[in-house]
Amino acid sequence: MRGRFFRRIAIGIGLFFLFVFVAGWLGAAFGGGWIGRGDDHRGFFPWFLVFPALLVLGFVAFGRAIRRTAGPIGGVMDAAGKVTEGDLSARADVQGPADVRDLARSFNRMAERLEANEEQRRNLLADVAHELRTPLSVIRAHVEGMADGIYEPTADHLALIADEASVMGRLLDDLQLLSNAEAGALRLHRERLEPRELLESAEATFRAQAAEAGVALVVEAEEDLPVVDVDPLRIGEVVANLVSNALRHTPTRGTITIAAAREGDDVTFSVTDTGEGIPVDELAHVFVRFARSAESRGSGLGLAIAKSLVQAHGGTISAESEPGNGTSIRFTLPGTR
């Protein structure tokens, strides 16, 4: 876009000077005098006035062209100055030649992303402060109580403090993992694995918990699925997170199905439950950091982390749900054969 813009400016300047040259040549060649030769006097034309007239017209046309371009560019520069000063709501008017309009649209998209990122940053800080406040308050209350002699430093009180410290530690670990994944700085130790191995590992991990809750765990994997090149630990975390969420929201005698199916050259994994489902107004935000239902006991980072880990492997993730009829979370990873 920048190259086209400067080429047009260069062509405009070149045409202007060509225009001036032609006008000057006409003025020098004809001067002022009779049109025609010999006795054929058909009238006198003031050629000596053509050059200045054409020169003035050229300056006027060139000036209008420059103003038509410079005005919109000035608007983009003004908006850029406002963004630099911290006003991320500033936008440039989309006007002028096509290339300048493209420049204004690109600037506006950039400003929109900056504004959205700033809003996310503020929300993240507020959410982290909120999540840390509760365990920190519990720890402070018990430590101050023991220091003042209100509580005895018994094993129960110390265990409670350790539990709340663990909650804070897990939250900070999750935030660091999420930050690294979103920044593309997460190191993946990839291995070629059969999709069924991931499903069976998750089923073995949650078998006892599901049995205690009275929930059936079912593994379904198509035959001859493509091998996936993944970090087993990270993708295992994704599947475990989905199964853990499903267990929390599936009632007794419900079913959770962990499945893998071919989708072209890729493999689609899914965790489907028969729980209460997700309300429509919450479904669009399930992968947003700290998004959670009112009754959720988690931090609201699990699905955001799952999304980042799947994307780090070059995959995609989505959620489908119908209130009262369960939820299905699917993610697709590239196959290797």
Side-chain angles (χ1 to χ4, degrees):
M1 185 177 66
R2 182 176 62 179
R4 292 199 307 270
F5 173 72
F6 283 115
R7 281 197 298 272
R8 290 188 179 185
I9 292 294
I11 291 172
I13 294 175
L15 290 175
F16 170 72
F17 281 107
L18 178 63
F19 181 78
V20 171
F21 171 77
V22 171
W25 179 80
L26 288 173
F30 292 98
W34 299 96
I35 300 176
R37 295 177 178 273
D39 296 331
D40 185 15
H41 301 298
R42 289 174 294 177
F44 183 81
F45 187 83
W47 284 103
F48 62 90
L49 296 178
V50 170
F51 173 69
L54 291 178
L55 191 61
V56 170
L57 289 175
F59 271 116
V60 170
F62 187 69
R64 291 185 61 185
I66 290 296
R67 285 195 301 273
R68 184 169 175 265
T69 301
I73 291 180
V76 175
M77 294 175 64
D78 290 341
K82 293 178 181 179
V83 169
T84 301
E85 293 173 359
D87 181 8
L88 299 181
S89 64
R91 300 291 184 270
D93 292 333
V94 180
Q95 57 184 351
D99 290 337
V100 180
R101 293 199 302 271
D102 290 342
L103 173 65
R105 292 190 188 100
S106 298
F107 173 83
N108 289 341
R109 287 194 295 269
M110 178 196 70
E112 289 170 2
R113 286 196 296 269
L114 287 174
E115 188 175 25
N117 289 341
E118 177 63 14
E119 182 67 20
Q120 289 179 355
R121 184 188 68 83
R122 291 175 180 173
N123 291 339
L124 176 61
L125 290 176
D127 289 334
V128 169
H130 174 75
E131 293 296 327
L132 291 177
R133 184 177 294 114
T134 299
L136 185 59
S137 298
V138 173
I139 292 172
R140 178 182 297 164
H142 281 76
V143 170
E144 290 178 351
M146 286 187 289
D148 295 338
I150 300 174
Y151 302 132
E152 291 293 330
T154 62
D156 290 341
H157 285 297
L158 294 176
L160 181 58
I161 292 174
D163 289 343
E164 296 300 327
S166 296
V167 170
M168 296 174 64
R170 286 195 300 271
L171 175 61
L172 295 176
D173 289 342
D174 287 347
L175 285 171
Q176 184 175 19
L177 174 60
L178 182 61
S179 176
N180 289 339
E182 290 182 343
L186 186 67
R187 295 184 61 183
L188 299 176
H189 303 282
R190 292 178 179 265
E191 299 178 15
R192 291 167 59 88
L193 291 178
E194 295 287 344
R196 179 177 283 276
E197 294 182 40
L198 293 170
L199 307 187
E200 292 177 346
S201 176
E203 191 273 336
T205 299
F206 290 95
R207 184 184 301 147
Q209 185 178 344
E212 183 180 351
V215 174
L217 273 183
V218 179
V219 172
E220 296 180 354
E222 293 182 358
E223 297 296 329
D224 197 29
L225 289 172
V227 173
V228 291
D229 186 23
V230 299
D231 184 326
L233 176 63
R234 298 308 185 187
I235 292 301
E237 290 178 5
V238 173
V239 179
N241 181 278
L242 300 184
V243 176
S244 178
N245 280 348
L247 277 171
R248 285 199 297 269
H249 298 283
T250 302
T252 302
R253 293 189 295 276
T255 301
I256 296 174
T257 303
I258 315 171
R262 176 188 291 272
E263 187 170 323
D265 294 330
D266 302 332
V267 179
T268 296
F269 298 85
S270 63
V271 176
T272 305
D273 63 61
T274 57
E276 70 269 20
I278 302 173
V280 176
D281 58 337
E282 296 180 7
L283 184 60
H285 307 289
V286 293
F287 297 109
V288 177
R289 287 174 293 191
F290 295 105
R292 57 185 180 180
S293 60
E295 64 276 7
S296 175
R297 300 186 304 273
S299 66
L301 290 176
L303 289 179
I305 291 174
K307 178 181 179 180
S308 294
L309 291 177
V310 169
Q311 290 178 336
H313 283 80
T316 59
I317 190 168
S318 62
E320 296 179 1
S321 184
E322 184 179 346
N325 291 317
T327 300
S328 180
I329 307 291
R330 293 182 172 87
F331 65 93
T332 299
L333 297 176
T336 59
R337 72 181 186 202

